[in-house]
Structure formats: structure tokens, C-alpha cells
């Protein structure tokens, strides 16, 4: 790292962008992912230098970053290229709520805002606890969360936890611990057998088509399909393991289960 705290940061996923803005440290950001949309002004203020699994390495290097923030094994090749070019890289890999909160605290410490990051994390913890306590008294509908449609991929770790906090039950809880998408593939027969009361879907940047889900062979008998409870949750608020999932993402789940 060229400087500490780093004055020039490139964020290749959206959750670190949102976290830095929430901490009041957005002036340190010199480049972002094309998927960064929170807060809305980020698209006017920061140059876009990457997608998710690809990045413009020369453009990143031209920004002379002190630090580049990446996420998961899917960005390993990007991270390797930057490391070979002499850039300091921090790769986060949070897959659950505890990991999200740890990321917030760690990133805050890196930029010299540890106290603000701790306060932010504690606010989220208090909110999650309050919602869980309120939701715990009611009925707990069975929820199938679909991250992708072809093949069908079931929910992520933090999504499964948020469903529980909102008062639901994940239809495939054992899969939530699996990090790789290929290990979370489910069959149509498995979903039919599970008989979820609610289907939540967020197709990773692609618009969800509830009518296509309802028209799948044999799905008419599923309670969620029969009762018209197929609900899209927008990708930016649920598929990024960061503040959005703990706020707007959780709120969207609560609304869907109400």
C-alpha cells in the first residue's frame, strides 16, 4: 500500500463503495464497478473501471490507486493481474451477515474511520435483532429464493439468514452454506417437493419473469404459484453482501412475506 490510510481507492464491487459513502469517506474513491448504484450519485461522481468478472486493468493503473478492493474468487484473476503490476489489493469474501459486519468494521479501520464503522455496524446489529424479535411471533412461511433461472440456483448465505430474520424459513437451508453457485443448483423436482409458500427471485442483473416461473411444468401445484406469491427483489439490494442487503434488501423480504 502506497499510503495509509489509503487516499486513492478503487472498488471493484458495489458493497465497498456504499460502505465508504456511508462512512463519509467517498472522497477516497477514484474508480468503481459499473454495477455500483448506491448511492445514486456515485454514477455521476466516480469513473467506472470494471464489470464484475472483468476489469480495465490499464484504466485502473492510470488512476494510481493506493488500494484496490475486490470480492470473492470470481475476481481472483483481476486481483492477480493488479498484484503483478505492483498494486496493493484487498480481497473480501464475506458470505453471511457476520462477514458483512466484519467487512464494514475492517474497511472502516483501513481508512481511519474505525469508530464510525463500529457505530454503523452496531446500528445494523440492533436493527436486525429488533426485526427478528418482532417477526419471531408469527407464522413462518417457507421461502424459495432463486438467484438464477437456468440452471436454477438457490439462495446465498446472507439471503438465507435475512429470510429467517424476516420471519420466513429457507426452503433449502443446507445449500446456503455453499459458496460456489454450481453447488447451489436445484432441480425443478426439488422445488416442487419443497412446496414453498413464497418464491423470491433476483436473477443477478436480469429482469425476473414471474410468469415464466409460474409456467414451469408441475409448478402450478406449488402454494407460492397457486397464490400468486412470486416476487422479484432487485439485484442491487439483495445480491451484494453489504449495507444494501441489511437495509433495503431485508425490507423487500419483509414486504414480500407480509
Amino acid at each position: 500500500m502506497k499510503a495509509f490510510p489509503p487516499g486513492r481507492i478503487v472498488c471493484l464491487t458495489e458493497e465497498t463503495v456504499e460502505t465508504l459513502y456511508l462512512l463519509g469517506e467517498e472522497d477516497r474513491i477514484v474508480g468503481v464497478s459499473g454495477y455500483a448504484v448506491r448511492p445514486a450519485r456515485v454514477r455521476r461522481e466516480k469513473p467506472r473501471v470494471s464489470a464484475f468478472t472483468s476489469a480495465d486493468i490499464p484504466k485502473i493503473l492510470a488512476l494510481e490507486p493506493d488500494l484496490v478492493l475486490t470480492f470473492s474468487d470470481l475476481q481472483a484473476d483481476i486481483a492477480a493481474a493488479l498484484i503483478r503490476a505492483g498494486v496493493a489489493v484487498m480481497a473480501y469474501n464475506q458470505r453471511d451477515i457476520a462477514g458483512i459486519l466484519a467487512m464494514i468494521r475492517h474497511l472502516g479501520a483501513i481508512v481511519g474511520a474505525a469508530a464510525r464503522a463500529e457505530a454503523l455496524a452496531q446500528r445494523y446489529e440492533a436493527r436486525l435483532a429488533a426485526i427478528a424479535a418482532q417477526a419471531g411471533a408469527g407464522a413462518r412461511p417457507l421461502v424459495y429464493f432463486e438467484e438464477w433461472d437456468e440452471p436454477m440456483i438457490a439462495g446465498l448465505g446472507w439471503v438465507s439468514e435475512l429470510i429467517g430474520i424476516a420471519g420466513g424459513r429457507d426452503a433449502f437451508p443446507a445449500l446456503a452454506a455453499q459458496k460456489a453457485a454450481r453447488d447451489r443448483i436445484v432441480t425443478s423436482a426439488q422445488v416442487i417437493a419443497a412446496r414453498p409458500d413464497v418464491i423470491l427471485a433476483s436473477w443477478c442483473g436480469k429482469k425476473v419473469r414471474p410468469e415464466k416461473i409460474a409456467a414451469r411444468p408441475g409448478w402450478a401445484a406449488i402454494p407460492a404459484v397457486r397464490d400468486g406469491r412470486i416476487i422479484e427483489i432487485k439485484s442491487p439490494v439483495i445480491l451484494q453482501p453489504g449495507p444494501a442487503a441489511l437495509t433495503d434488501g431485508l425490507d423487500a423480504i419483509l414486504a414480500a412475506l407480509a
Side-chain angles (χ1 to χ4, degrees), residues 225-248:
V225 176
R226 181 194 64 212
D227 299 336
R229 300 189 71 182
I230 305 172
I231 300 151
E232 178 181 18
I233 298 182
K234 299 298 185 182
S235 300
V237 304
I238 198 65
L239 295 185
Q240 58 121 318
L246 306 184
T247 54
D248 293 358

Side-chain angles (χ1 to χ4, degrees), residues 136-201:
R140 301 186 70 83
L142 191 65
V143 181
Y144 165 55
F145 180 86
E146 187 171 280
E147 182 193 352
W148 193 246
D149 60 332
E150 295 178 347
M152 291 182 291
I153 299 175
L156 301 155
W158 66 89
V159 177
S160 179
E161 289 180 289
L162 291 172
I163 288 169
I165 288 169
R169 294 174 293 130
D170 185 357
F172 299 101
L175 298 184
Q178 302 298 321
K179 295 180 179 179
R182 64 177 177 274
D183 296 327
R184 290 183 280 107
I185 293 173
V186 295
T187 66
S188 185
Q190 286 176 304
V191 180
I192 293 169
R195 293 181 56 80
D197 301 299
V198 180
I199 295 173
L200 304 179

